[in-house]
Amino acid sequence: MGKKKMKPGDVIIDSDDVGRKFARVFGKLGRIIVIIIFLFIVVLDSFYTVKETETAVITTFGKATTSQGKGLQLKIPFIQKVTKVDTTVRGFSIGYEENKDGSMKDLDDESVMITSDYNFINADFYISYEVKDPIKYLYASDEPEQILKNIAMSSIRSTLSAYNVDSALTTGKTEIQSNIKQMIINKLEKEDIGINLADASMQDVEPPTKEIQNAFKAVETAKQNKESAINEANQYRNEQIPAAEAEADKILQEAEAKKTARINEAKGQAERFNQEYEEYQKYPLITKQRMFYETMEKLLPNMKVIIDNGDGSVQKYYPIESFANFNTAESKSEKE
């Protein structure tokens, strides 16, 4: 084939030269894009956001420190690594779990416990905790929550095994819960994994069978009724004792008043007797008669007196006239 003949005005284009030009252009553009992407990544890696409920742990060349700052924060890109730790109170259940539909599912391998009198019970607990040291929480152990759960389950089983079934189901719940909480706190201090126990609450404790549950519920009801009866009796006692004390005080006051009145009356009678005795020593006959007449005057008024003369005739005197005038006249005659 022969070569194509050139015409006037035709332009000769070298394909190799065009390729080199395109390569240079796309090479510059690619470098610019890479630089932009790199700068974008640097900018993104230079800032981080911390919520109010979080604490940031910053690792610089393997050394971890905490930052208390909240909101948008700055760090050295590619050198510092930030891990955010939730510091709010969280928790997990022991002995049960919540299904997606809201119902509860028992976990027998966690809930079944044995008591000191070799009875079985189902015990459910809820453990609440919070992170006190974010650095230890992240690096002192691989799974701090699992360690806490193991400690809690061990403490629960150890504590319940020291109580009989009656205490675990009825009267000893508060004490058991307090002992479990203290045991978990002590073990967490030894482990030192950066977690604080907020609470260990006993959700439910019941026997493993319905028959035993009903029996213990009946016992609990009887104990509550006993407590109610005792409280009512104490209330009645507290109401009656003050009333009885007031009545006793009233009786004592009345007795004291009567005692004082009797003493005063006796003193008055003794004084009158002494005065009469003095008169008697002066005028024995007159005093005897006067005392007789005064006594009869007190006894005989308003009485019907019948005097039998012995011969069948009867005289009636009613009322008997006072001896006062006669007594006064006789006293005057004796003095004369």
Side-chain angles (χ1 to χ4, degrees), residues 40-48 75-80:
F40 181 73
I41 293 174
V42 169
V43 171
L44 286 181
D45 197 51
S46 299
F47 298 94
Y48 63 96
K75 73 179 184 68
I76 302 174
F78 309 117
I79 295 177
Q80 291 181 323

Side-chain angles (χ1 to χ4, degrees), residues 119-120 165 169 206-217:
N119 284 292
F120 289 97
V165 66
L169 293 173
E206 58 184 11
T209 63
K210 291 295 182 182
E211 292 79 5
I212 300 177
Q213 288 180 22
N214 294 333
F216 274 101
K217 286 180 180 178

